Amino acid sequence: MRPEGRSAQQVRPITLTRNYTKHAEGAVLVEFGETKVLCTATIEEGVPRFLKGQGQGWITAEYGMLPRSTHTRNPREAAKGKQGGRTLEIQRLIARSLRAAVDLTQLGEFTITLDCDVLQADGGTRTASITGACVALADALNKLVADGKLKQNPMKCMVAAVSVGIVGGEAVCDLEYVEDSAAETDMNVVMTDDGRMIEVQGTAEGEPFTHEELLSLLALARQGIDTIIKAQKAVLGQ
Amino acid sequence: MRPEGRSAQQVRPITLTRNYTKHAEGAVLVEFGETKVLCTATIEEGVPRFLKGQGQGWITAEYGMLPRSTHTRNPREAAKGKQGGRTLEIQRLIARSLRAAVDLTQLGEFTITLDCDVLQADGGTRTASITGACVALADALNKLVADGKLKQNPMKCMVAAVSVGIVGGEAVCDLEYVEDSAAETDMNVVMTDDGRMIEVQGTAEGEPFTHEELLSLLALARQGIDTIIKAQKAVLGQ
Amino acid sequence: MRPEGRSAQQVRPITLTRNYTKHAEGAVLVEFGETKVLCTATIEEGVPRFLKGQGQGWITAEYGMLPRSTHTRNPREAAKGKQGGRTLEIQRLIARSLRAAVDLTQLGEFTITLDCDVLQADGGTRTASITGACVALADALNKLVADGKLKQNPMKCMVAAVSVGIVGGEAVCDLEYVEDSAAETDMNVVMTDDGRMIEVQGTAEGEPFTHEELLSLLALARQGIDTIIKAQKAVLGQ
Amino acid sequence: MRPEGRSAQQVRPITLTRNYTKHAEGAVLVEFGETKVLCTATIEEGVPRFLKGQGQGWITAEYGMLPRSTHTRNPREAAKGKQGGRTLEIQRLIARSLRAAVDLTQLGEFTITLDCDVLQADGGTRTASITGACVALADALNKLVADGKLKQNPMKCMVAAVSVGIVGGEAVCDLEYVEDSAAETDMNVVMTDDGRMIEVQGTAEGEPFTHEELLSLLALARQGIDTIIKAQKAVLGQ
Amino acid sequence: MRPEGRSAQQVRPITLTRNYTKHAEGAVLVEFGETKVLCTATIEEGVPRFLKGQGQGWITAEYGMLPRSTHTRNPREAAKGKQGGRTLEIQRLIARSLRAAVDLTQLGEFTITLDCDVLQADGGTRTASITGACVALADALNKLVADGKLKQNPMKCMVAAVSVGIVGGEAVCDLEYVEDSAAETDMNVVMTDDGRMIEVQGTAEGEPFTHEELLSLLALARQGIDTIIKAQKAVLGQ
Amino acid sequence: MRPEGRSAQQVRPITLTRNYTKHAEGAVLVEFGETKVLCTATIEEGVPRFLKGQGQGWITAEYGMLPRSTHTRNPREAAKGKQGGRTLEIQRLIARSLRAAVDLTQLGEFTITLDCDVLQADGGTRTASITGACVALADALNKLVADGKLKQNPMKCMVAAVSVGIVGGEAVCDLEYVEDSAAETDMNVVMTDDGRMIEVQGTAEGEPFTHEELLSLLALARQGIDTIIKAQKAVLGQ
């Protein structure tokens, strides 16, 4: 039996609140149950050096957890003087995922930075971040078009993510913290709205997993992401 | 004429939301108008080395701004690899201010860390942080007493803060961003609920200021802090 | 047509040279074609703080590239003052993969550090590192048993890894650099010698990939890893 | 009774030695009793990026303590790899204070850096630094005029600073170390030679302070700074 | 009696393997007995800022030890976040030594970086590094000429180095680790092929050394370097 | 002809001022002509971890230049966040040199830190530092004996240093800045008062140097150090 009586394939209640803060070009509070992440999209003119003069744009991401977003306090990375390996890994994943949603050659020489800051963590912060960042990105791109800075919207598709895993021998979708910390296998899947995959990252925390287990996890992920993309489209009025 | 038609002595609407997040021993979202800061209080056993074995407690603070809490994006301090001078200065101020609210010799060997993270900035983030952190601290101390870890509450008084300044030749209270960036003199005042001062930090941004100007600013601060402390007490049910 | 006339499912020539250097408890030069990585295993008494007193051991890993192991020189991470995100991500992957090969509760309070240093890079440095580190780890564990420090060998299985990807529309196994940089989808798979999976990390570099493509990549990976594990067992005389 | 029989309003003997070292454009050893700080002013062409092309100049400051300027040795900040919060706070204060002494729009595109290095500390190092740096700055600006690089001297006024505080219930001026470490309230005041204020920073170390206490401290500060500015003017031959 | 029955003046077997790796413009594995260092030379267009526009080139060096090149594991400098004093000292020495071999005014605006990475340490890593780097540098310069980027080869002479020391009261040449760690005096000498000196660094580890001892050490060094330079010339086919 | 009409073998006027600052156990301002270095010795109980429990002491050193001790301003190392290679090299040299002056087994479990901070640089700062630090060390050791913390003084000899070099084809002693920057060969020699050597570091800045040149430099150094050690002994009243 899962917490809150969820079925194995059920995602937590998904909430996406646009314009949660006022300065950013996109600012979305995403909630996967008790996991809450503030995702902002910032548009800046110019691109990193390796892209200069090619007429295309860039999308990057940064991720952070507020020190007390977790059960016990995590030391502040700014105070420690460096971002940890987990943080870097997650922000690289977010950036790669969102770049897949956009035709960068149609973005013009703009850089969009997606900041995903976890206000409260209860499992699945990276998948919530990708999901929320995609909506913030959509808002930012719409703004570029509305402001006449781009003629057409370079967004190719919606992108969303979910975690799946094997807990107590059963494959379940959208793990919350108590499940995540007990999972034998943990997998994060990022997909587009046509059901193709952008990232699959599966890790055996305990025993190695079989091909059949992998297949059941992928099936759960596809279904969960369908639901999540519906929520994204609803909040964007699509 | 001030923005929103405020009078010179009027503070912005103050909102204090307790239990804004669920893991911390105290978690308060403080809003001074459009300035929004999440203040959490974390209780940990043990004290820094220089206090070991003295039977007293310690209170410390950390401050951060989300990269896009501001009009344009500020680079993330964790990514830069160090906290800037302004950040360090503010978190030292917050910690000193809150230590003044507590009898550390009655705290036992606990350390309380106050994390003040700015979600949206519109002037006065440090004074909002002190104000919100004080409520979060009160919640954390009440919890220590309720859990039987302390016999009596070591809190001596409420502490709150406000910024005052001279803008366009006129002394005004609780400056928002457009005022702050135009102020000739800027002063932050931290006070207890009996009207005594913990910190006074006045800076001439343009012309030096006179003794008389200082006196008017102090008078405005006292009045503004009165209002703010009332809001603190209301939300704590005192 | 692949470079050197390789078929799609063919791995490059795999060479594993034990005792490549003399000080470490395990020291293996692994070559996947022109990719050459020196993997050493160091045994040290004691475990990290979070494991103290639990009677179990720990396995960790570090990864580095010599500055001129690549086509153009990469700045030295020691000189830059920090390890990059890619480096941290890879060394976390190596460590997780090798921990899956060992029953840590049977390791005693020892820490084994696997250092994987790339002497020459031509694609697949992380999968070569995992493969070589597993042999170095086997040597180190055998030494612990031979020295009477452990009664029985805690190694549960061999672990190996390979990269697979879609290049020019075709799924291929063990990509070298020219293929890797042209791949539409890139996937790293880590498996045990009984064909179960420890890690699957697939990334769409260009277009998202389909479920069917994922299945063909997994099939290629399983076959490639079979060959690689045979090479590991041969060099260990199993 | 104060050390050395000083009265409450008396500052320590102030010595300002110009040209204490030979390379800098201004080089002043300032002594407030046993506190000794070497203040140098360096003129460099160009301004920070945020001021480029505006035809104005900039003044900045850095502060440091020699490791054994204090009773017990303080770790060297260069060896620790970062400047502490206190250091950053002080050098920001010095820079702001001295910028108030100069019409930056008349400085031309020069940057003047004031380095304040404490050779021996006995309380009041930041106020001594501001006082000495002002004389070094005057020398540097005179040199710019003498060298024909500026047509007229952009210095608007002399700036000096003193600490005041409440020690054993009594308000006293220019605290030395034994007083400073026992003070209930500590306040640093920076003023121009016409008696107006640039900075007021008052901190309750123990009990909060009252409005009346603040007024007595300000009165003491004004009187002390008068004496100090006389010493500055004397050494500059004004 | 020395290890392996070497005489006092005898250097260890010297091996220089060119093209040890394939990407660098020069790539030499140098072995002094059991000490093994991979030395690569990288040619890049452009020079450091302080040389811009002067039409001359630059040579720099970096040095590192693989963590387990030594008897016990040394923490990885990239993970510690800085290069240690010994590392910086050695790489400065290597760079100075090799700059002496080249007429920088004839190099054109190229920078050559010599990376010396110790795969296995057994004493004398810095002298082996200089010796191997000189051969890698020769290969790189020949390549610049062969590629038509330089009209004539700017190399002025071969440069090699050896350590000498007083061990058990006797002066010996090319110390291996067990000798080095027991030496009373340790001296590194860098010479050109005409017997003149580029660097002499002698250090008393125990008792100070006399003028006569210095002279015997220098005589041993000269003889040892003769042998080493013969090996360099042989491998380069000169 | 040398500056100030000095002869080739003549050192600059040497001044050693004891008790230059008041807090340190030894505090010496050393002047070699216009080069001025403040050398303090700090005694602390305890030794570094690698010496714990062996009943012996330790001597270490740190070196720094005030930013404007030089002709043009050098960036402050504390602000840059790390000590440069030259700094680390010099402080390692100072520490090694002074350890040679003391019988560490007779020092007890004390650590003495020698801080050498350059107030004004005009060539020879490292040799002045060693010379001044030796007097500060003597004062500190005498204090340990006077305070009854050591029964007998563990100092074995005086240690001093001088730079020698070849300038315009002539060997000269104690180079000042204009000579140093024009020297073809530069050598630093550290000796004990019985004429034996602790360190010899010779570097060819331009052309390599011959054995005969090395001998003339050593002869000059011995003579110069004789004079310097006389000055040390005079100021210590020996």
Side-chain angles (χ1 to χ4, degrees):
Chain A
M1 221 13 214
R2 302 184 70 188
E4 321 275 316
R6 267 203 285 158
S7 68
Q9 58 269 34
Q10 207 177 346
V11 298
R12 290 173 284 179
I14 308 292
T15 312
L16 292 152
T17 309
R18 290 164 68 201
N19 304 315
Y20 188 74
T21 57
K22 71 174 182 178
H23 298 305
E25 284 72 42
V28 172
L29 182 76
V30 57
E31 300 172 70
F32 277 30
E34 293 290 312
T35 288
K36 302 181 187 196
V37 186
L38 175 51
C39 307
T40 60
T42 295
I43 301 168
E44 290 168 308
E45 298 197 0
V47 286
R49 186 176 312 186
F50 69 92
L51 286 179
K52 284 240 168 87
Q54 302 183 21
Q56 73 159 86
W58 189 242
I59 292 173
T60 185
E62 289 187 3
Y63 170 92
M65 298 182 91
L66 294 198
R68 196 54 198 284
S69 58
T70 43
H71 285 78
T72 57
R73 188 177 184 272
N74 273 309
R76 187 178 289 267
E77 290 185 328
K80 290 167 70 179
K82 65 174 177 180
Q83 295 178 291
R86 178 184 169 277
T87 295
L88 293 172
E89 197 172 306
I90 292 175
Q91 67 191 23
R92 284 159 56 90
L93 170 65
I94 298 169
R96 277 199 312 272
S97 299
L98 274 300
R99 281 197 290 272
V102 174
D103 182 347
L104 296 174
T105 66
Q106 300 298 313
L107 176 52
E109 291 213 338
F110 290 103
T111 294
I112 300 183
T113 302
L114 300 161
D115 284 291
C116 299
D117 285 276
V118 179
L119 305 188
Q120 186 172 286
D122 189 26
T125 64
R126 79 188 71 188
T127 50
S129 294
I130 292 166
T131 301
C134 184
V135 177
L137 175 62
D139 278 339
L141 291 172
N142 284 332
K143 190 165 160 42
L144 276 175
V145 174
D147 292 355
K149 294 188 179 162
L150 288 183
K151 289 202 182 128
Q152 66 178 80
N153 198 315
M155 195 135 187
K156 297 189 298 185
C157 57
M158 290 308 288
V159 163
V162 81
S163 74
V164 285
I166 299 175
V167 184
E170 195 194 2
V172 294
C173 186
D174 188 22
L175 286 64
E176 56 197 73
Y177 177 76
V178 290
E179 296 176 312
D180 192 41
S181 56
E184 294 108 55
T185 292
D186 178 30
M187 191 159 85
N188 292 292
V189 180
V190 186
M191 280 183 169
T192 60
D193 48 11
D194 65 359
R196 287 184 298 159
M197 286 169 270
I198 294 172
E199 286 271 344
V200 172
Q201 296 195 340
T203 299
E205 303 287 348
E207 280 300 289
F209 53 94
T210 63
H211 189 66
E212 291 62 40
E213 287 172 325
L214 177 67
L215 293 182
S216 1
L217 291 173
L218 284 173
L220 277 180
R222 196 169 322 144
Q223 192 182 52
I225 289 176
D226 267 357
T227 308
I228 295 167
I229 287 183
K230 285 204 186 80
Q232 289 177 321
K233 291 188 170 171
V235 77
L236 284 167
Q238 295 178 351
Chain B
M1 215 25 205
R2 303 184 70 187
E4 322 274 315
R6 268 203 283 157
S7 70
Q9 58 271 33
Q10 208 176 345
V11 298
R12 290 174 284 178
I14 308 290
T15 311
L16 291 152
T17 308
R18 290 164 67 200
N19 304 315
Y20 188 74
T21 58
K22 70 173 183 178
H23 298 305
E25 284 72 42
V28 172
L29 182 77
V30 57
E31 300 171 70
F32 276 31
E34 293 288 314
T35 288
K36 302 181 186 196
V37 186
L38 174 52
C39 307
T40 59
T42 295
I43 301 169
E44 289 168 309
E45 298 199 0
V47 287
R49 186 175 312 189
F50 69 94
L51 286 178
K52 284 238 167 90
Q54 302 181 23
Q56 72 159 88
W58 189 241
I59 292 173
T60 185
E62 289 186 2
Y63 170 92
M65 299 182 91
L66 293 198
R68 197 54 198 283
S69 58
T70 44
H71 285 77
T72 57
R73 188 177 183 272
N74 274 311
R76 187 177 291 265
E77 289 185 326
K80 290 167 72 180
K82 66 175 176 179
Q83 296 177 290
R86 177 184 171 276
T87 294
L88 292 172
E89 196 171 307
I90 291 175
Q91 68 190 22
R92 285 158 57 90
L93 169 66
I94 298 170
R96 280 198 311 272
S97 299
L98 275 301
R99 281 197 289 271
V102 175
D103 182 346
L104 296 174
T105 65
Q106 300 299 312
L107 177 53
E109 292 213 337
F110 291 103
T111 294
I112 300 182
T113 302
L114 300 161
D115 284 291
C116 299
D117 285 277
V118 179
L119 304 188
Q120 186 173 285
D122 189 25
T125 64
R126 80 187 71 188
T127 50
S129 293
I130 292 167
T131 300
C134 185
V135 177
L137 175 62
D139 278 339
L141 291 172
N142 285 332
K143 190 166 159 44
L144 276 175
V145 174
D147 292 354
K149 294 189 178 160
L150 288 184
K151 288 204 183 130
Q152 67 178 79
N153 198 314
M155 196 138 187
K156 297 189 299 185
C157 57
M158 289 309 286
V159 163
V162 80
S163 74
V164 286
I166 299 176
V167 183
E170 194 195 2
V172 293
C173 186
D174 187 24
L175 286 64
E176 56 198 75
Y177 177 76
V178 290
E179 296 177 312
D180 192 41
S181 55
E184 294 109 53
T185 292
D186 178 29
M187 192 158 86
N188 292 292
V189 181
V190 186
M191 280 183 167
T192 60
D193 49 10
D194 66 359
R196 289 184 297 160
M197 285 169 272
I198 294 172
E199 286 272 344
V200 173
Q201 298 195 340
T203 300
E205 304 286 348
E207 280 299 288
F209 54 94
T210 63
H211 189 67
E212 292 64 39
E213 287 171 325
L214 176 67
L215 293 182
S216 2
L217 290 174
L218 284 172
L220 277 180
R222 196 169 321 143
Q223 193 181 52
I225 288 176
D226 267 359
T227 307
I228 295 168
I229 287 181
K230 283 205 186 80
Q232 288 177 321
K233 291 190 170 170
V235 76
L236 284 167
Q238 295 179 351
Chain C
M1 211 32 200
R2 304 183 69 187
E4 321 276 313
R6 268 203 285 158
S7 69
Q9 58 270 34
Q10 207 176 345
V11 297
R12 289 174 285 180
I14 309 291
T15 311
L16 292 152
T17 308
R18 290 164 67 200
N19 303 316
Y20 188 74
T21 58
K22 71 173 183 178
H23 297 305
E25 285 71 42
V28 171
L29 182 76
V30 57
E31 300 171 71
F32 276 32
E34 292 289 313
T35 288
K36 302 181 186 195
V37 185
L38 175 52
C39 307
T40 60
T42 296
I43 301 168
E44 289 168 309
E45 298 197 0
V47 287
R49 185 176 313 188
F50 69 93
L51 286 179
K52 284 239 168 89
Q54 302 182 23
Q56 74 159 86
W58 189 241
I59 292 174
T60 185
E62 288 187 4
Y63 169 93
M65 298 182 90
L66 293 198
R68 197 53 197 286
S69 58
T70 44
H71 284 78
T72 57
R73 188 178 184 273
N74 274 310
R76 187 178 291 266
E77 289 186 327
K80 289 167 72 180
K82 65 174 176 182
Q83 296 178 291
R86 179 184 170 276
T87 294
L88 293 172
E89 197 172 306
I90 292 176
Q91 69 191 22
R92 285 159 56 89
L93 169 65
I94 298 170
R96 278 199 311 273
S97 298
L98 275 301
R99 281 197 290 271
V102 175
D103 182 347
L104 297 173
T105 65
Q106 301 298 313
L107 175 54
E109 292 214 338
F110 290 104
T111 294
I112 300 183
T113 302
L114 299 162
D115 284 291
C116 299
D117 285 276
V118 179
L119 304 188
Q120 185 172 286
D122 189 24
T125 64
R126 80 187 71 187
T127 51
S129 293
I130 291 166
T131 300
C134 184
V135 177
L137 175 62
D139 279 338
L141 290 173
N142 284 332
K143 192 166 159 41
L144 276 176
V145 174
D147 292 355
K149 294 189 179 162
L150 288 184
K151 290 205 183 127
Q152 66 179 79
N153 198 314
M155 195 136 187
K156 297 189 297 185
C157 57
M158 290 307 288
V159 163
V162 80
S163 75
V164 286
I166 299 175
V167 183
E170 195 195 2
V172 294
C173 185
D174 188 24
L175 286 66
E176 55 197 74
Y177 176 76
V178 290
E179 297 176 312
D180 192 42
S181 56
E184 294 110 53
T185 292
D186 178 28
M187 191 159 86
N188 293 292
V189 181
V190 186
M191 279 183 170
T192 60
D193 48 10
D194 65 0
R196 287 184 297 159
M197 286 169 270
I198 294 173
E199 286 271 343
V200 173
Q201 296 196 341
T203 299
E205 303 286 347
E207 280 299 289
F209 52 94
T210 63
H211 189 65
E212 291 63 39
E213 287 171 325
L214 177 66
L215 293 182
S216 0
L217 291 174
L218 284 173
L220 278 179
R222 196 169 322 143
Q223 191 181 52
I225 288 176
D226 267 357
T227 306
I228 295 168
I229 287 182
K230 283 203 186 80
Q232 288 177 321
K233 291 190 170 172
V235 77
L236 284 167
Q238 296 178 350
Chain D
M1 214 25 204
R2 303 184 70 187
E4 322 275 315
R6 268 203 283 156
S7 69
Q9 57 269 35
Q10 208 176 344
V11 298
R12 290 174 285 178
I14 308 291
T15 311
L16 292 152
T17 309
R18 290 163 68 200
N19 303 317
Y20 187 74
T21 57
K22 72 173 183 177
H23 297 304
E25 285 72 42
V28 171
L29 182 76
V30 58
E31 300 171 71
F32 277 31
E34 293 289 314
T35 288
K36 302 180 186 198
V37 186
L38 174 52
C39 307
T40 60
T42 295
I43 301 169
E44 288 168 309
E45 298 197 0
V47 286
R49 185 175 312 185
F50 69 93
L51 286 178
K52 284 238 168 90
Q54 302 182 20
Q56 73 158 85
W58 189 243
I59 292 173
T60 184
E62 288 186 4
Y63 170 91
M65 299 183 91
L66 294 198
R68 196 55 198 284
S69 58
T70 43
H71 284 78
T72 56
R73 187 175 184 275
N74 273 311
R76 187 178 290 267
E77 289 185 327
K80 290 167 71 178
K82 65 175 178 180
Q83 295 178 291
R86 178 183 170 276
T87 295
L88 292 171
E89 196 171 306
I90 292 175
Q91 68 191 22
R92 284 158 57 90
L93 170 65
I94 298 170
R96 279 199 311 272
S97 298
L98 274 301
R99 281 197 289 271
V102 175
D103 182 346
L104 296 174
T105 65
Q106 300 298 312
L107 175 52
E109 291 213 338
F110 291 104
T111 294
I112 300 183
T113 302
L114 299 162
D115 284 292
C116 299
D117 285 277
V118 178
L119 305 188
Q120 187 174 283
D122 190 26
T125 64
R126 79 187 73 188
T127 50
S129 294
I130 291 166
T131 301
C134 185
V135 176
L137 175 62
D139 279 339
L141 291 173
N142 284 331
K143 189 163 159 45
L144 275 176
V145 174
D147 292 354
K149 294 187 179 162
L150 288 185
K151 290 206 182 127
Q152 67 177 76
N153 198 315
M155 195 138 187
K156 296 189 300 188
C157 57
M158 290 308 287
V159 162
V162 80
S163 74
V164 286
I166 299 175
V167 184
E170 194 194 2
V172 294
C173 186
D174 188 23
L175 285 65
E176 56 197 73
Y177 177 75
V178 290
E179 296 177 313
D180 193 41
S181 55
E184 294 110 54
T185 292
D186 178 29
M187 191 158 85
N188 292 292
V189 181
V190 186
M191 279 183 168
T192 60
D193 49 10
D194 66 359
R196 288 184 298 160
M197 286 168 271
I198 294 172
E199 286 272 345
V200 173
Q201 296 194 341
T203 299
E205 304 286 348
E207 280 299 290
F209 53 94
T210 63
H211 190 66
E212 292 63 39
E213 286 172 325
L214 176 66
L215 293 182
S216 1
L217 291 174
L218 284 172
L220 276 179
R222 196 169 322 143
Q223 193 182 51
I225 287 176
D226 267 358
T227 307
I228 294 168
I229 286 182
K230 283 205 185 79
Q232 288 177 321
K233 291 188 169 171
V235 76
L236 284 167
Q238 295 179 352
Chain E
M1 219 18 211
R2 304 183 70 187
E4 321 275 315
R6 268 204 284 157
S7 69
Q9 59 270 33
Q10 207 177 346
V11 297
R12 290 173 284 179
I14 308 292
T15 310
L16 293 152
T17 308
R18 292 163 67 200
N19 303 315
Y20 187 75
T21 57
K22 71 174 183 177
H23 298 305
E25 284 72 42
V28 172
L29 181 77
V30 58
E31 300 171 71
F32 277 30
E34 293 288 313
T35 288
K36 303 180 187 198
V37 186
L38 174 52
C39 306
T40 60
T42 295
I43 301 169
E44 289 168 309
E45 299 198 0
V47 287
R49 186 176 311 187
F50 70 94
L51 286 179
K52 284 239 167 89
Q54 302 182 23
Q56 72 158 87
W58 188 241
I59 292 173
T60 184
E62 289 187 2
Y63 170 91
M65 298 182 91
L66 294 198
R68 195 56 198 282
S69 58
T70 44
H71 285 77
T72 56
R73 188 176 183 274
N74 273 311
R76 189 178 289 267
E77 290 185 327
K80 289 167 71 180
K82 67 175 175 177
Q83 295 177 292
R86 178 184 171 276
T87 294
L88 292 171
E89 197 171 307
I90 291 176
Q91 68 190 22
R92 285 158 57 89
L93 170 65
I94 298 170
R96 280 200 310 273
S97 298
L98 274 301
R99 281 197 290 271
V102 174
D103 183 347
L104 297 174
T105 65
Q106 300 299 313
L107 176 53
E109 292 214 337
F110 290 104
T111 295
I112 300 182
T113 302
L114 300 161
D115 284 291
C116 299
D117 285 276
V118 179
L119 304 188
Q120 185 173 285
D122 189 25
T125 64
R126 79 187 72 188
T127 50
S129 293
I130 291 167
T131 301
C134 185
V135 177
L137 175 61
D139 278 339
L141 291 172
N142 284 332
K143 191 165 158 44
L144 276 176
V145 174
D147 292 354
K149 294 188 179 162
L150 288 184
K151 288 204 183 127
Q152 66 177 78
N153 198 314
M155 196 140 188
K156 296 189 299 186
C157 57
M158 290 308 288
V159 163
V162 80
S163 75
V164 286
I166 299 176
V167 184
E170 194 194 3
V172 294
C173 186
D174 188 22
L175 285 64
E176 56 198 72
Y177 177 75
V178 290
E179 297 177 312
D180 192 41
S181 56
E184 293 110 52
T185 292
D186 177 32
M187 192 158 85
N188 292 292
V189 181
V190 186
M191 280 183 168
T192 60
D193 49 10
D194 66 359
R196 288 184 297 161
M197 285 169 272
I198 294 172
E199 286 272 344
V200 173
Q201 297 196 342
T203 299
E205 304 286 348
E207 279 300 287
F209 53 95
T210 63
H211 189 66
E212 291 64 38
E213 287 172 324
L214 176 67
L215 293 182
S216 0
L217 291 174
L218 284 173
L220 277 179
R222 196 170 320 144
Q223 193 182 51
I225 288 176
D226 267 359
T227 307
I228 295 167
I229 287 182
K230 283 203 187 80
Q232 289 177 320
K233 291 189 170 171
V235 76
L236 283 167
Q238 295 178 351
Chain F
M1 212 29 200
R2 303 183 70 187
E4 320 276 314
R6 268 204 283 157
S7 69
Q9 57 270 34
Q10 208 177 343
V11 298
R12 289 174 284 180
I14 309 291
T15 311
L16 292 152
T17 308
R18 289 163 69 200
N19 303 317
Y20 187 75
T21 58
K22 72 173 181 176
H23 297 305
E25 285 72 42
V28 172
L29 182 77
V30 57
E31 300 172 70
F32 277 30
E34 293 288 314
T35 288
K36 302 182 186 196
V37 186
L38 175 51
C39 306
T40 59
T42 295
I43 301 169
E44 288 168 310
E45 298 198 0
V47 286
R49 185 175 313 187
F50 69 93
L51 285 178
K52 285 239 167 89
Q54 303 183 22
Q56 73 159 85
W58 188 242
I59 293 174
T60 184
E62 288 187 3
Y63 170 92
M65 299 182 89
L66 294 197
R68 197 55 198 284
S69 58
T70 44
H71 285 78
T72 56
R73 188 177 184 273
N74 273 311
R76 186 179 291 267
E77 289 185 328
K80 289 167 71 179
K82 66 174 177 180
Q83 296 178 292
R86 178 184 171 275
T87 294
L88 292 172
E89 196 172 307
I90 292 175
Q91 68 190 23
R92 283 158 56 90
L93 170 66
I94 298 169
R96 279 199 311 273
S97 299
L98 274 302
R99 281 197 290 270
V102 174
D103 182 346
L104 297 174
T105 66
Q106 300 298 313
L107 176 53
E109 292 213 336
F110 291 105
T111 294
I112 301 183
T113 302
L114 300 161
D115 284 292
C116 299
D117 285 277
V118 178
L119 304 187
Q120 187 173 283
D122 190 25
T125 63
R126 80 187 73 187
T127 50
S129 293
I130 292 167
T131 300
C134 184
V135 176
L137 175 62
D139 279 339
L141 291 173
N142 285 331
K143 191 165 159 42
L144 275 176
V145 175
D147 292 354
K149 294 189 180 161
L150 288 184
K151 289 202 183 132
Q152 67 178 77
N153 198 316
M155 196 138 186
K156 296 189 298 186
C157 58
M158 290 308 287
V159 162
V162 80
S163 74
V164 286
I166 299 176
V167 184
E170 195 194 2
V172 295
C173 186
D174 188 23
L175 285 64
E176 55 197 74
Y177 177 75
V178 290
E179 297 177 313
D180 193 40
S181 55
E184 294 110 53
T185 292
D186 178 29
M187 192 158 86
N188 292 292
V189 182
V190 186
M191 279 183 170
T192 60
D193 49 11
D194 65 0
R196 288 184 297 160
M197 285 169 272
I198 294 173
E199 286 271 345
V200 173
Q201 296 194 342
T203 299
E205 304 286 347
E207 280 300 287
F209 53 93
T210 64
H211 190 66
E212 292 64 40
E213 287 172 325
L214 176 67
L215 293 182
S216 0
L217 291 174
L218 284 173
L220 277 179
R222 195 169 322 144
Q223 194 181 50
I225 287 176
D226 267 358
T227 307
I228 295 168
I229 286 182
K230 285 205 185 78
Q232 288 177 322
K233 292 189 169 170
V235 76
L236 283 167
Q238 296 179 352

